């Protein structure tokens, strides 16, 4: 069992001042895989003070120097890939193959995209030809609190740390207490890369403890949070007292609209996308909307695909889905599956209980419901598990109405061969992202949502801008 209790503050690994022991549980076995300390107020305040003290010199450092350190970080990151994969597999249940390729791979992908964006970004630029002595300066917001989730740990850590570092912010990272081990490895990499003391700090803790201190502290200028909409509301309320900037990337209930002319792989693609990461993705296509003439065939195919999805321990090699992260999530998912049955949805694959052959571990059966209507609980709430709801629709207008009838607005998906309809749907769907016909967003494309899916954007130029203030200057002198 890995045991490590230290925090990374002001360029040093330090013992917690008021920490308590916390067991990190392997969801495949329900057994402890590590013991860490959850910090308290004194630990959070020490990290904030270090970040505040480091800010003036880090802000003044040439952006080329900040970029060079992130480039060095990437080199180190690539040597620690297996360590990260093993950690994430054990702490949050990502199967090893998926952890190596997707979970670890996301980190290098985002850091490289930030470097590309930063090298062509004008941190000081003219207002326009009409105002030759006016300049627009982009400067760092200040001390940033970065609060990251357990479901895509390195994806979110690198999206926040990479952008904040290049922008010139100093930071305090609080990873999820469910998956802290990968973040501690990442702190080792930041240290090895040579970031100046206080630029990057890590304090483990829970939301009510360290998270509350970070979001309410007057010396924190910005909070960047990824997690549930419920927690996002609490953070926003706490942060309002100091009027700090709050960036939120929250939940989703994405619609995957499949028209009758969709390509032959559309249904299978949608089911497998839903089941990826055991359904624990905020941008999962959890509502499959199918045009009525294709509906019966789509239901039959979706059930067949889900029944072929295998479930197994995260430590096993191979292409399967692992457990969900913990007992709380497992129980919530079981309750929502039962709710779908009780409210009259037609269960066509999966169901309640563990998959056959498992009597331990937080495993969920890959589940598909048909004949769902958009008023059912399983169509309204984010389940965050491998549970797909299929809803019929008749016309394009019906599809738009159903897809937009949700408090969320993160990602929607469209499958049709009609180009004009693709473009109409892309403009009509109320979400921060729309992906069509299985085409992923390109490198540097912004990630983020509308409505209760949050605000702000992560990745590429937009990710940098989230950590930058805009300063208008008149009377700029020619040099």
């Amino acid at each position: 069992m890995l045991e490590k209790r230290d925090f990374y503050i002001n360029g040093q690994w330090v013992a917690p001042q008021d920490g308590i022991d916390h067991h990190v549980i392997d969801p495949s076995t329900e057994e402890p895989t590590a013991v860490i300390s959850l910090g308290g107020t004194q630990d959070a305040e020490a990290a904030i003070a270090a970040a505040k003290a480091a800010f003036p010199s880090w802000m003044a450092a040439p952006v080329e120097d900040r970029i060079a350190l992130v480039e060095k970080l990437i080199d180190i990151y690539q040597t620690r890939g297996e360590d990260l994969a093993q950690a994430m597999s054990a702490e949050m249940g990502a199967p090893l193959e998926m952890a190596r390729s997707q979970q670890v791979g996301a980190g290098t992908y985002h850091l490289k995209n930030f470097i590309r964006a930063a090298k062509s970004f004008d941190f000081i630029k003219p207002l326009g030809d009409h105002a030759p002595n006016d300049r627009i300066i982009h400067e760092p917001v200040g001390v940033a609190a970065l609060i990251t989730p357990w479901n895509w740990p390195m994806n979110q850590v690198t999206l926040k740390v990479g952008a904040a570092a290049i922008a010139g912010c100093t930071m305090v990272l609080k990873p999820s207490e469910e998956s802290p081990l990968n973040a501690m490895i990442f702190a080792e990499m930041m240290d090895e890369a040579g970031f100046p003391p206080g630029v990057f700090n890590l304090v483990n803790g829970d939301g009510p403890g360290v998270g509350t201190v970070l979001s309410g502290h007057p010396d924190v200028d910005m909070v960047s949070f990824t997690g549930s909409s419920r927690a996002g509301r609490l953070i926003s309320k706490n942060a309002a007292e100091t009027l700090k900037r709050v960036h939120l990337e929250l939940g989703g209930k994405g619609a995957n609209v499949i028209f009758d002319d969709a390509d032959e792989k559309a249904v299978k693609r949608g089911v497998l996308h839903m089941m990826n990461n055991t359904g624990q993705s905020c941008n999962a296509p959890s509502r499959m909307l199918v045009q009525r003439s294709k509906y019966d065939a789509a239901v039959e195919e979706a059930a067949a695909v889900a029944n072929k999805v295998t479930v197994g321990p995260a430590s096993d090699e191979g292409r399967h889905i692992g457990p969900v992260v913990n007992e709380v999530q497992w129980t919530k998912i079981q309750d929502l599956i039962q709710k779908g049955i009780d409210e009259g949805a037609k269960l066509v694959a999966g169901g309640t209980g563990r998959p056959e052959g498992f009597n331990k571990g937080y495993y969920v059966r890959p589940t598909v419901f048909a004949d769902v209507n958009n008023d059912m609980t399983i169509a309204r709430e984010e389940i965050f598990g491998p549970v797909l709801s299929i809803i019929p629709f008749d016309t394009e207008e019906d599809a738009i109405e159903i897809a937009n009838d949700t408090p969320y607005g993160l990602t929607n998906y469209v499958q049709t061969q009609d180009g004009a309809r693709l473009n109409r749907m892309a403009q009509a769907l109320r979400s921060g992202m729309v992906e069509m016909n299985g085409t992923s967003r390109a490198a540097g494309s912004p990630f983020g949502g509308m409505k209760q899916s949050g605000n702000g954007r992560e990745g590429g130029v937009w990710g940098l801008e989230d950590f930058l203030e805009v300063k208008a200057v008149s009377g700029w002198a020619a040099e």
Side-chain angles (χ1 to χ4, degrees):
M1 182 189 298
L2 173 67
E3 182 167 357
K4 187 167 188 179
R5 300 167 182 263
D6 293 344
F7 300 163
Y8 186 76
I9 298 176
N10 203 29
Q12 300 180 53
W13 290 99
V14 299
Q17 299 182 56
D18 51 1
I20 58 172
D21 281 356
H22 170 74
H23 288 81
V24 180
I25 303 299
D26 183 339
S28 295
T29 65
E30 301 184 35
E31 298 295 332
T33 189
V35 179
I36 66 163
S37 286
L38 297 183
T41 299
Q42 294 182 71
D43 302 301
E45 288 182 343
I48 293 167
K52 181 181 180 181
F55 177 65
S57 59
W58 184 242
M59 173 185 176
V63 67
E64 293 80 11
D65 293 353
R66 302 197 296 257
I67 290 172
L69 279 173
V70 175
E71 288 176 325
K72 188 174 181 181
L73 173 65
I74 292 174
D75 292 339
I76 297 166
Y77 186 102
Q78 290 173 329
T79 70
R80 301 294 302 272
E82 185 62 18
D83 294 337
L84 289 168
Q86 293 286 343
M88 289 185 281
S89 180
E91 63 192 336
M92 55 75 59
L96 278 171
E97 183 173 319
M98 185 264 185
R100 292 175 182 129
S101 61
Q102 296 183 47
Q103 296 277 5
V104 175
T108 48
Y109 178 79
H110 293 311
L111 292 174
K112 288 178 179 178
N113 288 336
F114 282 133
I115 289 169
R116 182 187 304 113
K119 286 183 175 179
S120 61
F121 188 84
D122 291 327
F123 286 84
I124 302 176
K125 64 181 181 181
L127 174 64
D129 292 340
H130 69 291
N133 297 322
D134 279 46
R135 293 293 183 273
I136 301 299
I137 299 177
H138 292 89
E139 65 181 44
V141 171
V143 175
L146 314 178
I147 304 175
T148 55
W150 48 261
N151 61 319
W152 286 94
M154 272 299 107
N155 183 77
Q156 293 306 132
V157 168
T158 54
L159 276 172
K160 298 183 192 302
V161 173
I166 291 175
C169 292
T170 55
M171 66 206 85
V172 180
L173 171 65
K174 189 204 84 63
S176 169
E177 65 272 26
E178 300 292 341
S179 58
L181 307 181
N182 67 91
M184 297 170 81
I185 295 170
F186 186 83
E188 293 173 355
M189 292 187 276
M190 293 289 287
D191 183 70
E192 184 179 347
F195 282 84
V199 169
F200 171 87
N201 306 273
L202 178 144
V203 178
N204 285 306
D206 59 18
V210 171
T212 298
V213 176
L214 292 176
S215 59
H217 201 284
D219 289 339
V220 172
D221 301 293
M222 172 183 176
V223 179
S224 179
F225 169 76
T226 300
S228 70
S229 298
R230 179 194 61 81
R233 285 189 287 271
L234 293 173
I235 286 171
S236 296
K237 290 177 182 177
N238 195 39
E241 289 295 323
T242 50
L243 296 176
K244 58 173 56 71
R245 182 182 296 192
V246 178
H247 166 116
L248 301 172
E249 199 279 281
L250 307 175
K253 195 68 182 177
N256 182 12
V257 183
I258 300 179
F259 287 95
D260 55 12
D261 66 341
D263 67 88
E264 62 181 12
K265 296 181 180 179
V267 172
K268 180 179 181 180
R269 186 168 63 239
V271 175
L272 295 179
H273 190 173
M274 178 64 237
M275 302 300 167
N276 187 47
N277 205 35
T278 319
Q280 299 171 121
S281 301
C282 51
N283 61 343
S286 53
R287 292 181 297 152
M288 181 179 284
L289 279 53
V290 183
Q291 198 155 25
R292 203 170 295 274
S293 60
K294 191 183 180 75
Y295 179 77
D296 290 341
V299 168
E300 184 177 348
E301 182 181 1
V305 172
N307 283 328
K308 291 180 181 177
V309 174
T310 56
V311 181
S315 57
D316 284 1
E317 299 286 351
R319 301 184 65 181
H320 57 279
I321 65 172
V324 296
V325 71
N326 58 28
E327 184 178 7
V328 171
Q329 288 294 120
W330 188 87
T331 301
K332 173 192 170 186
I333 294 164
Q334 298 303 311
D335 290 346
L336 284 166
I337 292 173
Q338 186 60 52
K339 191 80 167 179
I341 295 169
D342 294 344
E343 291 184 357
K346 182 181 180 182
L347 185 68
V348 296
T352 57
R354 291 179 174 84
E356 186 176 349
F358 291 94
N359 58 14
K360 193 175 185 181
Y362 305 122
Y363 300 99
V364 176
R365 300 169 67 190
T367 297
V368 177
F369 283 103
D371 299 351
V372 177
N373 67 62
N374 215 39
D375 294 325
M376 291 180 178
T377 304
I378 57 173
R380 307 302 298 176
E381 294 190 17
E382 185 179 37
I383 298 174
F384 231 58
V387 182
L388 174 67
S389 298
I390 307 181
I391 303 171
F393 72 89
D394 293 304
T395 66
E396 182 178 325
E397 291 72 24
D398 292 336
I400 293 168
E401 182 178 356
I402 295 168
N404 287 340
D405 180 20
T406 173
Y408 297 105
L410 190 58
T411 314
N412 285 306
Y413 303 82
V414 182
Q415 322 295 329
T416 178
Q417 299 305 301
D418 184 332
R421 181 159 58 191
L422 279 175
N423 295 344
R424 289 194 303 270
M425 292 291 292
Q427 295 176 78
L429 293 171
R430 294 288 294 164
S431 55
M433 299 168 285
V434 180
E435 298 185 10
M436 302 188 286
N437 290 335
T439 303
S440 299
R441 293 172 301 108
S445 178
F447 188 102
M450 302 177 181
K451 301 190 285 185
Q452 291 188 29
S453 289
N455 52 49
R457 294 295 181 269
E458 292 186 316
V461 171
W462 292 270
L464 292 177
E465 288 179 342
D466 258 8
F467 288 89
L468 293 169
E469 296 280 15
V470 176
K471 178 185 287 183
V473 177
S474 59
W476 186 268
E479 298 181 10

